Amino acid sequence: MPSKRSILFALLCLFVVAPVSAQITFNEADILSQVPGIVSSDDYSLDDPAQKALIVAIEDIAGPNQTWDFTTLDWSLVTPITGSIENVTLPNGTLPGENDPRVANATFAAVVVDAGKSAGSISAIYFSTSATEFFTYGTFSNDDVTGDADALFDTGLLSAVFPTTYLTSWQGTTTFSIPAGPGLTASTQLDTDTNTDGWGTLILPSGSYQTLRQRTVRTTTLTIVGSPFPLPPTVTKIT
């Protein structure tokens, strides 16, 4: 069965697209303009190898004054999943994981009602922003059937610096742990290296947007804690 490749437009439009022309600068105000508020979430996936290759070719374009035109895809082969993300200010009092001390510094959350599940199944992604920095604190999900899923970071992950413009770069690091079986814990260190390596026009079926392109290298180092047969850490790098 071929793997699926998805284009998640909601967070792209929330955190990458800025409504300005020519050289683009992205600031805290661009985020706060969406908080509180509801952002439409259109997630598209497809299995066609030729179309996936075309997506990769478009995504790989870097440099100044570029055009990323996704309308050249054969959209009849694309499966759309439409939903919404609600950005809420904190404290809110009703969100899963909101009282966890690891999100004590979060100032707002993006709340997602999981597609295909009941209305009682929601996920909250926690963030904070200031005039100079933007942090992510991870996700806490509540499923009224299977229970809670804790994917919160031990410390905030630096996810942007302001102002962000062409050639702005930053590095972030954090850790998190999840159960891996009886008496076992999967402890992960996440390191990110981001470079804003392009600006230009993003063209989607919904319209054209002035956009910054960011290339992030994510390195995860996974260690299983509690095993009677210790294994060396597993390192995975994704660009």
Side-chain angles (χ1 to χ4, degrees), residues 40-44 80-84 115:
S40 62
S41 170
D42 295 321
D43 191 5
Y44 299 91
I81 304 173
T82 301
S84 64

Side-chain angles (χ1 to χ4, degrees), residues 150-172:
D150 178 351
L152 296 176
F153 300 150
D154 296 325
T155 57
L157 176 68
L158 181 63
S159 302
V161 296
F162 301 130
T164 295
T165 189
Y166 180 51
L167 300 183
T168 301
S169 62
W170 64 87
Q171 293 76 42

Side-chain angles (χ1 to χ4, degrees), residues 32-53:
L32 294 181
S33 67
Q34 305 287 337
V35 182
I38 297 177
V39 180
S40 62
S41 170
D42 295 321
D43 191 5
Y44 299 91
S45 65
L46 71 163
D47 288 326
D48 183 79
Q51 295 296 298
K52 288 192 289 185

Side-chain angles (χ1 to χ4, degrees), residues 47-63:
D47 288 326
D48 183 79
Q51 295 296 298
K52 288 192 289 185
L54 180 58
I55 290 174
V56 171
I58 296 171
E59 289 178 341
D60 283 347
I61 299 172

Side-chain angles (χ1 to χ4, degrees), residues 63 118 125 137 168 186 215:
S118 70
I125 312 168
Y137 297 90
T168 301
R215 180 180 184 273

Side-chain angles (χ1 to χ4, degrees), residues 136-204:
T136 303
Y137 297 90
T139 305
F140 198 102
S141 301
N142 175 264
D143 189 310
D144 56 3
V145 176
T146 61
D148 295 342
D150 178 351
L152 296 176
F153 300 150
D154 296 325
T155 57
L157 176 68
L158 181 63
S159 302
V161 296
F162 301 130
T164 295
T165 189
Y166 180 51
L167 300 183
T168 301
S169 62
W170 64 87
Q171 293 76 42
T173 186
T174 191
T175 57
F176 61 95
S177 300
I178 59 174
L184 302 178
T185 300
S187 179
T188 300
Q189 177 174 317
L190 171 62
D191 298 292
T192 63
D193 188 349
T194 300
N195 180 40
T196 309
D197 63 0
W199 67 269
T201 303
L202 172 69
I203 304 176
L204 303 175

Side-chain angles (χ1 to χ4, degrees), residues 9-20 26-41 84-90 107-111 125 127 129 134 162 209-210:
F9 292 118
L11 292 181
L12 179 67
C13 292
L14 176 57
F15 298 126
V16 178
V17 178
V20 293
F26 188 63
N27 290 295
E28 180 192 23
D30 295 302
I31 290 179
L32 294 181
S33 67
Q34 305 287 337
V35 182
I38 297 177
V39 180
S40 62
S41 170
S84 64
I85 296 174
E86 183 178 5
N87 298 314
V88 300
T89 55
L90 299 175
T107 57
F108 74 97
V111 181
I125 312 168
F127 306 98
T129 186
F134 178 71
F162 301 130
Y209 307 89
Q210 294 300 300

